[in-house]
């Protein structure tokens, strides 16, 4: 996966991995341990699930210009974030890391 620095609402989030392939998008943060977790951007996506995840995440629903439309904090494993209007990208951040990036 490619690693980038992402600007979201004029804030820079460092070390964001971009899921590009079908497998990277499908796998996301599933089966990743909390110690090995990372920030993940899923482009052209408007919904996610947290099945088989081992930790809570914060989900940022972003528009096409990476502006925040909706934030879901502390999303537990085995939950679903349903599609929403204007959402074009999803940013997943392990809950433990959020204070250090925003």
């Amino acid at each position: 996966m490619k690693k980038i620095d992402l600007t979201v609402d004029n804030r820079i989030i460092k070390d964001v991995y971009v899921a590009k392939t079908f497998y990277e998008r499908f796998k996301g943060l599933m089966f990743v341990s909390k110690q090995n977790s990372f920030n993940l951007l899923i482009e052209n996506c408007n919904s996610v699930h947290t099945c088989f995840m081992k930790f809570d995440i914060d989900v940022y629903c972003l528009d096409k210009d990476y502006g925040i439309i909706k934030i879901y904090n502390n999303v537990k494993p085995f939950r679903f974030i349903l599609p929403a209007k204007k959402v074009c990208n999803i940013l997943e951040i392990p809950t433990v890391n959020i204070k250090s990036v925003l």
Side-chain angles (χ1 to χ4, degrees):
M1 279 189 277
K2 180 181 175 183
K3 188 175 11 173
I4 63 169
D5 291 341
L6 180 67
T7 302
V8 175
D9 280 348
N10 297 319
R11 296 181 184 117
I12 297 175
I13 302 174
K14 295 198 172 279
D15 301 328
V16 176
Y17 286 89
V18 181
K20 294 251 183 216
T21 68
F22 172 79
Y23 177 74
E24 290 170 346
R25 293 166 56 89
F26 175 74
K27 183 175 182 276
L29 296 172
M30 289 192 304
F31 308 111
V32 174
S33 69
K34 187 183 274 189
Q35 294 79 15
N36 295 325
S37 64
F38 49 90
N39 304 322
L40 181 67
L41 175 66
I42 306 171
E43 295 182 313
N44 300 315
C45 175
N46 65 357
S47 65
V48 291
H49 68 83
T50 58
C51 297
F52 307 106
M53 292 184 62
K54 299 179 179 183
F55 49 89
D56 298 353
I57 63 170
D58 292 325
V59 176
Y60 287 72
C61 299
L62 309 174
D63 64 17
K64 63 181 169 117
D65 298 318
Y66 301 101
I68 297 172
I69 293 176
K70 177 98 173 138
I71 300 172
Y72 296 90
N73 291 309
N74 300 314
V75 179
K76 307 276 186 227
F78 293 93
R79 301 294 193 275
F80 293 86
I81 304 295
L82 298 176
K85 290 182 180 180
K86 298 184 182 178
V87 175
C88 297
N89 305 294
I90 298 285
L91 178 61
E92 298 179 346
I93 300 178
T95 299
V96 296
N97 292 343
I98 194 63
K99 291 180 182 162
S100 65
V101 295
L102 290 181

